[in-house]
Amino acid sequence: MTVLVAYASARGSTREIVQHIADRMAVSLGGVECRSVDEVESVSGYEAVVVGSAVHNQRWLPAAGQFFDRHAPELAKRPVWAFNVGMADALPKPLRQRAAALQQARLAGAMPPDIQLQGHRMFSGVYTSDQMPAPLRVLFRLMGGRFGDLRNWAVIDAWADDIAAELAEPASPASSGNATT
Ligand SMILES: Cc1cc2nc3c(=O)[nH]c(=O)nc-3n(C[C@H](O)[C@H](O)[C@H](O)COP(=O)(O)O)c2cc1C
């Protein structure tokens, strides 16, 4: 089996997650390729595809959107999982789950309709203070917001393992689900 794990990343945190997922899935599945979405000319040689994109301004990065549009007919014929990397866990605690769920619904709604995702997750990435206008930083912290590397590798590993298990045994009723983190 050859699986494509592709990324659209502006500052590298999504690329690192995708590389990590690809390495982990390769242990159980063997043929797993990690590529930037820009490098992929065709998905027809892959049996399954996993795509991760950073979120900018509540949207997929343009390169990810272009990837889905360009390959929609082929993606529609094979299992596809997707995830987004954002900043939900940087927000004050009471807002995190709700913000992630709203954003996830918006991002899923932007997919071409013929691509039926097997699973779609939101992960938190790296959110540093320089990504927020200086005058807002103090207020953000006072409200309970935080900056830093917010990636939860245990959650990411569990999701990757669920996908690998489904691909290793396609008839399994196991599901990688749609829950947000
Ligand atoms: C210009 C800009 C806009 C962003 N907009 C959002 C957003 O709308 N929602 C969100 O959850 N995170 C947003 N973020 C946070 C990033 O998605 C987060 O830092 C992620 O880890 C970036 O991934 P990358 O390192 O692969 O580029 C934004 C970051 C930047 C720099």
Side-chain angles (χ1 to χ4, degrees), residues 56-120:
H56 274 190
N57 305 319
Q58 306 274 317
R59 294 172 193 273
W60 299 83
L61 286 189
Q66 287 156 15
F67 174 86
F68 288 126
D69 289 342
R70 198 164 59 239
H71 300 293
E74 284 299 320
L75 289 170
K77 294 182 199 162
R78 46 190 43 77
V80 179
W81 286 262
F83 66 91
N84 292 103
V85 181
M87 54 165 283
D89 287 345
L91 298 174
K93 210 166 183 182
L95 302 180
R96 287 176 200 163
Q97 256 191 316
R98 180 94 183 115
L102 285 172
Q103 189 159 255
Q104 182 177 24
R106 184 182 173 121
L107 292 160
M111 294 287 297
D114 18 340
I115 303 173
Q116 296 293 315
L117 294 178
Q118 301 289 307
H120 177 217

Side-chain angles (χ1 to χ4, degrees), residues 8-15 54-59 61 85-88 103 122 124-128 131:
S9 177
R11 293 186 167 211
S13 64
T14 307
R15 178 177 42 74
V55 185
H56 274 190
N57 305 319
Q58 306 274 317
R59 294 172 193 273
L61 286 189
V85 181
M87 54 165 283
Q103 189 159 255
M122 299 293 302
S124 283
V126 176
Y127 191 61
T128 49
Q131 294 181 56

Side-chain angles (χ1 to χ4, degrees), residues 17-163:
I17 293 173
V18 160
Q19 183 67 63
H20 180 86
I21 287 174
D23 290 347
R24 193 169 176 95
M25 289 175 64
V27 172
S28 51
L29 297 177
V32 179
E33 289 181 15
C34 176
R35 302 254 181 274
S36 159
V37 289
D38 296 321
E39 290 170 11
V40 179
E41 287 182 8
S42 167
V43 297
S44 60
Y46 300 104
E47 283 162 71
V49 178
V50 181
V51 183
S53 169
V55 185
H56 274 190
N57 305 319
Q58 306 274 317
R59 294 172 193 273
W60 299 83
L61 286 189
Q66 287 156 15
F67 174 86
F68 288 126
D69 289 342
R70 198 164 59 239
H71 300 293
E74 284 299 320
L75 289 170
K77 294 182 199 162
R78 46 190 43 77
V80 179
W81 286 262
F83 66 91
N84 292 103
V85 181
M87 54 165 283
D89 287 345
L91 298 174
K93 210 166 183 182
L95 302 180
R96 287 176 200 163
Q97 256 191 316
R98 180 94 183 115
L102 285 172
Q103 189 159 255
Q104 182 177 24
R106 184 182 173 121
L107 292 160
M111 294 287 297
D114 18 340
I115 303 173
Q116 296 293 315
L117 294 178
Q118 301 289 307
H120 177 217
R121 290 290 294 259
M122 299 293 302
F123 297 126
S124 283
V126 176
Y127 191 61
T128 49
S129 58
D130 64 308
Q131 294 181 56
M132 177 172 281
L136 296 180
R137 290 175 203 158
V138 174
L139 184 63
F140 182 70
R141 278 191 201 276
L142 285 172
M143 290 171 62
R146 57 192 179 145
F147 298 107
D149 186 344
L150 305 168
R151 290 174 290 185
N152 186 330
W153 294 105
V155 169
I156 292 165
D157 284 352
W159 192 66
D161 290 351
D162 281 352
I163 295 173

